[in-house]
Amino acid sequence: MAIAPNMTSVPSRAPAVVATGPVGSPLGTGRVRLTGGLLHDWQRRNRVATVPHVVREVRQAGNLDNFRRLQDPSVGDYRGRYPFLDTDVYKTLEGVAYELARDPADAEEAEALAVAREFYEESVALIERTQRADGYLGTFYQSPQSAKRPWQDLSWGHEMYNLGHLAQAAVAASRQLGDRRLLDVASRFADLVVERYGPDGEQAYCGHPEVEMALVELARETGDGRYLEQARLFVERRGAGTLEHTIFAADYFQDAVPLRELGSVTGHAVRMVYLAAGATDVALETGDDALVAHLEHLWDDMVARKSYLTGGIGSRHSDEAFGDRFELPAERAYAETCAAIGTVQWGWRLFLATGRADVLDHVERVLHNAYAVGLSEDGAAFFYDNPLQRRPDHEQRSGAEKDGEPLRRAWFGCPCCPPNVVRWMSELQDHLAVADDDSLTVALYASAAIDSPALGVDVTTDLPWDGRVTVRVRRAPDRPVTLALRIPAWADGATATVDGEPVAERPADGWLRLTRTWTPGRTVVLDLPMPVRAVTAHPHLDAARGTAAVLRGPLVYCVEQQDAAAPVDDLLLSPEDVARLAVDHDHPWRVLRGDLAVAPPTSDDPYPPLGATAPATHRAPVALVPYALWGNREVGAMRVFLRLS
Ligand SMILES: [Zn+2]
């Protein structure tokens, strides 16, 4: 299939991913608007708290000064250690472009948007002025003091990674604001890359995938097929072993074998899912069904054997990488926040390519757990790594958690995650629905006004707290149109009515498809049961077998020490106790309340004889909180997985 042909006619009104798959296309700017509920609250927090915070931190960290100093040497030396710090500016700009496209709801939002606008204008002007005449842009290597020359170190230089985030910011600014200044800059840089690394150029690629999906998006936005072809070349070339690898093996860069021969997701987790997202984009645009099928295989393997219960990925701290299959230690989970975002990006594209509801189930899990946990409740502190357990004597020296700062931090020396959180929060609405002329498919549930070509509907729901979803038709043609609603795998026994009458249709492949000649006012009510439930771990998942974890709907729960009247390590979980856990609907976090058996260790022997057990001695009241919200109060021990009784 060709580059989405409708793009050139509506350049400022297209969503993040516009390719047409079996279930249609995403809708576009202003076509889906969050109107209430959790995701709406998240987006407001992003606008009034996280964006101003990240803008302040980016300024203080010197990321803008790195551009400024190339015009004014008196600004000082390059700030920061890494060659990819320009991307913190680009990722923030991407999110800011979305925020500036929406009208402020009140004075607080207007004030925050003024901060965002000032950052936007200042940054765009600096970026335009800093680009070299040949199109190159990267403040690290442009510095006269740089010990390396541009393109000298493709393994660690991150130069095309920089281009990728620049291009994504540029596409967002063009689509959301109709501002093509960054698009011109990104296109010139991309032209240089095409000239240098095109079909007849150097057969090389960047150590950190990211530019692949950005080039596809740039192709969609500009209509220039060379960028799509360049993305395809980068995907196909990878695995030739051309990247120098002195610290980590070729595997780390997904450079040991071609993507099409990769048996399982491997290496640095963020690199892997960014590459897979880009490859899925290429496959969507080129109609490469074999590539889609292989990407499905990689996705399924990742979900089944290399993902935490939260949807987090990457268990190894040393190289931020996937471990072996079932190597998923809870307290040493790396599960970088950026890797969760990359998983959502890949999953969304794979859904577009396949229409698979179960892919969205996993995207939903990542969104509400592995991604959401990365940000504090006040919107101004971040996790880099996201463990599923914290021991009572935990020392703050693992992963990015150091310097004596507890839990989430305001910023990092390698601050990839915070601006990534910003841009993803701003784009949530683009991932709720897809449509074609004859159908509207609701992919993820949130209260929203949705305007597809055929149907205008208002979705109202309290998910993930409550499983009722109401879809009220606002606009419909005088002909049959299909409204497809995802029935998540966690919603066993889901029911639906239209205008109060039970529907005859049954869900198939995770979708309830209702074909009607709809009229304004008709209302579909979907009830997704959300009982408290528990899961155990696969017998090969050594780190968690013999334990169980509590879930409700898409949410994973955990116990923080302050909510348990016994050490969290001594709590036992039984099916009967899970069944008795009660949802506290008056609590904003919908905590689960109950009491659990307590079994303290009976000896200090770390390896008691086979057959020795620690019996339960008493029971203790406990409240479980959504994992995404842990660490927002007093710092203490935490567990997702509890011992089985
Ligand atoms: Zn990160």
Side-chain angles (χ1 to χ4, degrees), residues 256-546:
V257 296
L259 180 68
R260 290 176 191 269
E261 296 170 23
L262 202 58
S264 176
V265 289
T266 187
H268 185 268
V270 176
R271 282 172 168 80
M272 180 70 239
V273 288
Y274 280 7
L275 174 64
T280 310
D281 254 348
V282 167
L284 262 166
E285 290 293 352
T286 59
D288 189 335
D289 293 340
L291 183 54
V292 170
H294 186 63
L295 288 159
E296 284 187 86
H297 159 73
L298 291 174
W299 171 270
D300 292 342
D301 184 61
M302 177 183 78
V303 170
R305 300 177 190 92
K306 294 192 175 182
S307 292
Y308 283 95
L309 182 61
T310 56
I313 52 168
S315 51
R316 293 185 180 173
H317 282 235
S318 61
D319 49 358
E320 305 180 310
F322 286 100
D324 297 333
R325 287 175 174 137
F326 296 116
E327 181 190 330
L328 296 164
E331 77 271 50
R332 294 292 290 157
Y334 196 67
E336 183 182 338
T337 304
C338 285
I341 293 167
T343 303
V344 171
Q345 289 179 316
W346 180 17
W348 178 251
R349 286 160 175 78
L350 198 61
F351 157 65
L352 289 175
T354 64
R356 281 174 52 180
D358 67 306
V359 171
L360 290 172
D361 286 357
H362 192 73
V363 166
E364 179 185 61
R365 174 169 296 202
V366 175
L367 187 67
H368 284 296
N369 299 284
Y371 167 68
V373 73
L375 182 60
S376 63
E377 210 187 11
D378 68 4
F382 309 86
F383 275 136
Y384 196 111
D385 48 324
N386 295 285
L388 283 73
Q389 178 183 358
R390 183 185 177 89
R391 294 190 183 275
D393 63 336
H394 180 75
E395 291 189 37
Q396 292 158 18
R397 63 186 180 194
S398 66
E401 189 189 340
K402 54 190 176 188
D403 301 338
E405 287 191 55
L407 295 171
R408 296 180 182 86
R409 299 175 63 185
W411 204 243
F412 304 94
C414 174
C416 52
C417 301
N420 224 354
V421 169
V422 161
R423 67 176 183 142
W424 202 253
M425 282 290 176
S426 74
E427 298 170 18
L428 292 168
Q429 68 288 336
D430 279 355
H431 303 85
L432 299 187
V434 296
D436 57 24
D437 289 342
D438 302 312
S439 71
L440 167 62
T441 298
V442 182
L444 295 171
Y445 293 114
S447 290
I450 300 175
D451 276 292
S452 74
L455 287 178
V457 303
D458 292 309
V459 180
T460 310
T461 180
D462 247 349
L463 273 168
W465 312 122
D466 179 85
R468 172 158 289 195
V469 180
T470 302
V471 183
R472 189 171 186 278
V473 175
R474 195 179 349 98
R475 169 177 55 77
D478 187 21
R479 60 183 171 83
V481 171
T482 299
L483 175 64
L485 302 171
R486 183 174 58 93
I487 308 298
W490 49 259
D492 192 26
T495 59
T497 60
V498 175
D499 296 336
E501 296 294 322
V503 301
E505 294 90 341
R506 289 285 166 264
D509 302 325
W511 295 106
L512 179 64
R513 296 182 178 86
L514 304 172
T515 303
R516 305 276 192 283
T517 299
W518 301 96
T519 51
R522 293 194 79 179
T523 302
V524 181
V525 176
L526 182 64
D527 275 308
L528 304 172
M530 292 179 62
V532 177
R533 67 188 200 281
V535 295
T536 58
H538 189 283
H540 297 173
L541 208 168
D542 298 62
R545 68 183 173 207

Side-chain angles (χ1 to χ4, degrees), residues 217-278:
E217 288 165 13
L218 194 61
R220 290 172 178 142
E221 187 62 10
T222 61
D224 190 333
R226 291 176 308 142
Y227 304 143
L228 172 61
E229 174 61 9
Q230 191 63 46
R232 192 188 69 77
L233 289 173
F234 283 147
V235 168
E236 298 294 353
R237 276 180 198 162
R238 201 169 198 90
T242 63
L243 292 167
E244 286 182 30
H245 49 91
T246 51
I247 305 173
F248 301 119
D251 188 54
Y252 170 91
F253 301 101
Q254 295 79 39
D255 198 28
V257 296
L259 180 68
R260 290 176 191 269
E261 296 170 23
L262 202 58
S264 176
V265 289
T266 187
H268 185 268
V270 176
R271 282 172 168 80
M272 180 70 239
V273 288
Y274 280 7
L275 174 64

